[in-house]
Amino acid sequence: MSGKRIDITSKEELEILFNKCLAYYDNDDDKYMALALLVSDRSKDPRNQVGAVIASASGELLVYGYNGATMGVSDDDFPWDSTGEKTGDIMHNKDYFVVHAEMNAIINYLKTNRNGTLKDATMYVTWCPCNNCAKVIAQTGIKRIIYHRMYSKPEQITPNLFIFEKAGIECVPYSPYYEITKEDQMFQRSCIKSKLLKK
């Protein structure tokens, strides 16, 4: 199962799809997960495109983020192939330079809302958060996480769930009925974009 990739090349295109998405979906969970999938398309990572959307307790869209290189490093010039994972060369290992979608969303919010709060907000993310993201999320006041797909290293999920439980954060899959694969996710994102582009 695979879908044709439709690149979202500008923030303006993303905003147009956002507005159509907000009008198209009635259910907040469906609406914001669709937005997270659309946001993930902004990532230049060819293996793991991740998007995160944060909505307030009242259901208002607050902010979004996607995984990308750190500020000052061009996403276009970044060594996304991450060959250093196999060779041990940390300068060619993307893990040392990529800011995850969840952290980017939180940082984006704090940059524009210095006195704002994420208390009782919900984060919609296309992957279950990693351990570093889990620790940061626990510090923000976010009370609910809905993830689209399980984190790629399931053995590392137990500490994250412990962190969420102790912080009073509900962490649930978007689809409790079956495991969503990377291919399913790509197909769903493509379908959402195709559907919204027709409107």
Side-chain angles (χ1 to χ4, degrees):
M1 193 186 277
S2 66
K4 180 177 178 267
R5 187 179 157 117
I6 303 168
D7 289 320
I8 300 173
T9 57
S10 71
K11 287 183 180 178
E12 292 77 23
E13 290 173 354
L14 183 59
E15 290 299 322
I16 290 167
L17 286 175
F18 261 22
N19 291 330
K20 288 183 175 186
C21 196
L22 292 172
Y24 187 83
Y25 293 97
D26 295 327
N27 175 295
D28 278 352
D29 289 349
D30 293 338
K31 179 188 315 181
Y32 290 126
M33 187 55 73
L35 290 175
L37 286 164
L38 291 173
V39 167
S40 72
D41 200 49
R42 296 277 295 154
S43 171
K44 300 285 195 251
D45 189 334
R47 286 192 299 169
N48 301 313
Q49 293 180 299
V50 183
V53 170
I54 302 176
S56 71
S58 63
E60 175 191 358
L61 174 63
L62 297 176
V63 71
Y64 64 85
Y66 55 90
N67 58 321
T70 56
M71 192 172 285
V73 178
S74 168
D75 277 337
D76 295 325
D77 299 331
F78 189 74
W80 288 107
D81 59 0
S82 201
T83 57
E85 290 179 42
K86 292 180 182 161
T87 66
D89 178 2
I90 62 171
M91 292 306 292
H92 289 92
N93 183 335
K94 69 178 181 175
D95 292 343
Y96 289 93
F97 305 99
V98 172
V99 180
H100 288 187
E102 303 93 323
M103 286 199 203
N104 265 328
I106 291 166
I107 291 166
N108 290 342
Y109 181 78
L110 294 174
K111 284 192 324 195
T112 57
N113 299 280
R114 294 199 184 274
N115 296 321
T117 180
L118 294 173
K119 184 175 180 344
D120 298 329
T122 297
M123 177 179 278
Y124 297 85
V125 63
T126 58
W127 263 27
C128 189
C130 73
N131 186 253
N132 283 328
C133 289
K135 291 183 279 189
V136 171
I137 291 166
Q139 299 299 93
T140 66
I142 290 172
K143 286 298 175 196
R144 189 168 169 241
I145 299 167
I146 298 179
Y147 64 89
H148 196 256
R149 186 162 62 108
M150 181 49 75
Y151 185 60
S152 62
K153 299 171 184 166
E155 70 280 2
Q156 295 180 10
I157 291 299
T158 303
N160 305 359
L161 297 178
F162 177 82
I163 290 168
F164 294 146
E165 179 186 342
K166 294 301 179 186
I169 300 171
E170 178 186 17
C171 182
V172 295
Y174 176 66
S175 174
Y177 305 109
Y178 68 96
E179 181 87 17
I180 295 174
T181 66
K182 184 176 186 174
E183 292 75 23
D184 293 337
Q185 193 170 50
M186 290 171 61
F187 180 75
Q188 287 175 5
R189 181 176 60 201
S190 178
C191 288
I192 290 166
K193 286 187 286 189
S194 295
K195 188 184 323 180
L196 296 176
L197 287 170
K198 288 178 186 172
K199 294 192 124 239

